[in-house]
Amino acid sequence: MYHFRRSGIQLTGKKLLFRAYVEEWEEWERVSANQWSLKTYEGYASILRAHLLPAFGESDLKKISVLDVERYIADKVDSGLNSNSVKHHVVLLKTILNSALRQGIILQNPVQRARLPKVARYIPQTYVPEEIARFLNELKGTQYFAIMYVAFWTGARRGELLALRWSDVNLDRKLITIMKSKTVVTKRYDKGKVQGQTKTDPSVRVIAISDDLCGFLKRHKAEQEERRRAPSYEDKTGLVFTSHQYGRMLNSSYMTEKLNTIQKRLGLNHIRMHDARHTHASIALNNGVDLVTMSNRLGHSRVSTTDDYYSHVVPGADQQAADVYARAVNLEA
């Protein structure tokens, strides 16, 4: 018999609402911290509040069927939600019901037998070099110029750059060590700037930087040191990228607004900061960098991830493989 502390329910074969079980499940996940970051937890909580609870909240947990799950999927797709987002809903629902299955509350997980939405292949949005130049030129003089410049030149994630400290940057050896990531979560989930490990073990990495980028960072550091003399400058953490006036960690929401405004003014396609990462990888791969090297540089856990994202940007690779083989064998028919 299970006793649910928050809801006061004792499970003795009685009806157990999905909503009541989720309240307990959320508490278990929060306390155990599981494998989720706060940002992931916040995202899943948002899916619960806006989608899963309205759909399944009053349902008997033990009577949710495969048909119920498939109807939910169909309704979400019909409402215009993209298939990748619906997949996140299904993954969360499966995770919750797997917990109930493991505890012996349900005998099978209906999500396991449900037909899932076909996820369209994601093709990243990127800039060509000329667009990068126009975009960065417009950012000059703002507190977002340096972080975007380094984003395009390294392919590092936004959180990794926000957490980057000068102690992680070796300008003599032209190396950057990426070890931490920062994110911002809302008040409900411990509001503030949260620093933690990067996404996966391979995300902890050392990447090389060019002479040009090294020179840029030296100039940026000198400018930051000059600003540091101002009484209003607060940063004591040694972050590489901070606000100009107060030396605080950059606000990602304000940064997004600024980037969007510039893109519209210049008539450029809309890209997110994360797309600077895709741009870095696409240009490098198009110019002969191999997938393994690029995968290590990006901190992907598997080369297949890099291949899934970027194989379309090297359309000549297959032809190159055919030509290389032909030259090596050199047989006439």
Side-chain angles (χ1 to χ4, degrees):
M1 178 175 68
Y2 278 92
H3 176 74
F4 292 111
R5 180 171 56 81
R6 296 185 70 189
S7 59
I9 294 174
Q10 288 189 346
L11 182 61
T12 56
K14 297 180 181 179
K15 179 178 181 179
L16 173 61
L17 294 183
F18 179 80
R19 183 183 305 279
Y21 181 76
V22 163
E23 287 181 3
E24 300 293 333
W25 175 84
E26 279 192 293
E27 180 69 10
W28 295 327
E29 293 298 316
R30 187 191 67 78
V31 171
S32 67
N34 212 327
Q35 73 275 18
W36 296 352
S37 68
L38 279 172
K39 191 67 174 179
T40 300
Y41 181 80
E42 181 187 33
Y44 278 163
S46 177
I47 292 173
L48 273 173
R49 302 286 176 268
H51 300 281
L52 293 182
L53 286 177
F56 297 104
E58 305 308 313
S59 299
D60 186 339
L61 182 73
K62 294 176 285 185
K63 293 184 178 180
I64 296 175
S65 67
V66 174
L67 182 58
D68 292 331
V69 175
E70 290 184 343
R71 281 175 176 164
Y72 175 84
I73 292 171
D75 287 345
K76 291 302 174 183
V77 171
D78 290 344
S79 72
L81 202 62
N82 70 65
S83 56
N84 195 50
S85 294
V86 176
K87 183 180 178 182
H88 287 306
H89 295 197
V90 174
V91 168
L92 177 56
L93 181 60
K94 183 178 180 180
T95 300
I96 294 169
L97 294 181
N98 271 342
S99 291
L101 179 65
R102 187 176 63 253
Q103 294 166 335
I105 298 172
I106 59 176
L107 299 179
Q108 60 182 0
N109 187 338
V111 180
Q112 293 176 336
R113 293 188 292 140
R115 289 172 295 184
L116 303 181
K118 185 177 180 180
V119 178
R121 182 180 181 184
Y122 175 69
I123 299 179
Q125 298 297 310
T126 60
Y127 278 170
V128 298
E130 293 78 8
E131 291 172 316
I132 296 173
R134 289 180 61 203
F135 182 62
L136 290 177
N137 188 61
E138 195 71 13
L139 271 175
K140 281 183 179 178
T142 73
Q143 58 192 10
Y144 307 120
F145 173 61
I147 193 171
M148 286 305 302
Y149 189 100
V150 176
F152 279 116
W153 258 253
T154 63
R157 300 177 179 93
R158 179 179 68 179
E160 294 170 343
L161 292 175
L162 288 173
L164 192 67
R165 299 170 186 267
W166 285 112
S167 57
D168 302 322
V169 181
N170 190 324
L171 295 174
D172 294 327
R173 298 182 62 194
K174 296 185 294 185
L175 297 172
I176 291 178
T177 301
I178 294 177
M179 299 179 62
K180 299 286 185 181
S181 182
K182 280 197 176 182
T183 188
V184 177
V185 293
T186 60
K187 186 174 183 179
R188 181 184 177 94
Y189 306 100
D190 298 330
K191 182 177 182 180
K193 303 166 183 64
V194 181
Q195 180 168 293
Q197 293 296 327
T198 51
K199 292 180 67 176
T200 59
D201 286 344
S203 294
V204 178
R205 61 201 186 278
V206 178
I207 60 173
I209 59 176
S210 65
D211 289 334
D212 287 344
L213 182 54
C214 188
F216 174 85
L217 285 170
K218 287 179 180 178
R219 293 190 297 274
H220 172 63
K221 188 175 185 180
E223 292 168 1
Q224 190 184 65
E225 288 297 328
E226 189 66 28
R227 289 193 295 272
R228 196 182 297 276
R229 298 176 183 177
S232 61
Y233 203 88
E234 301 173 356
D235 179 51
K236 307 296 182 184
T237 61
L239 291 173
V240 174
F241 306 108
T242 56
S243 63
H244 281 184
Q245 184 174 359
Y246 298 111
R248 297 170 182 166
M249 183 180 125
L250 295 174
N251 184 300
S252 57
S253 296
Y254 292 156
M255 179 163 56
T256 297
E257 291 178 10
K258 180 69 173 180
L259 302 185
N260 290 344
T261 299
I262 288 177
Q263 289 164 8
K264 290 178 182 178
R265 184 161 66 238
L266 296 177
L268 294 171
N269 290 331
H270 171 71
I271 67 168
R272 308 159 302 162
M273 183 175 174
H274 195 76
D275 293 322
R277 174 176 170 84
H278 295 316
T279 296
H280 176 81
S282 298
I283 292 175
L285 289 167
N286 256 322
N287 285 273
V289 176
D290 63 274
L291 278 172
V292 174
T293 299
M294 200 69 247
S295 182
N296 292 334
R297 186 170 178 83
L298 294 175
H300 285 159
S301 57
R302 295 180 298 273
V303 176
S304 60
T305 301
T306 316
D307 188 35
D308 287 344
Y309 273 126
Y310 304 113
S311 59
H312 70 283
V313 307
V314 281
D318 189 51
Q319 184 63 53
Q320 182 183 9
D323 294 342
V324 167
Y325 180 83
R327 288 195 298 271
V329 177
N330 195 25
L331 290 177
E332 292 186 6

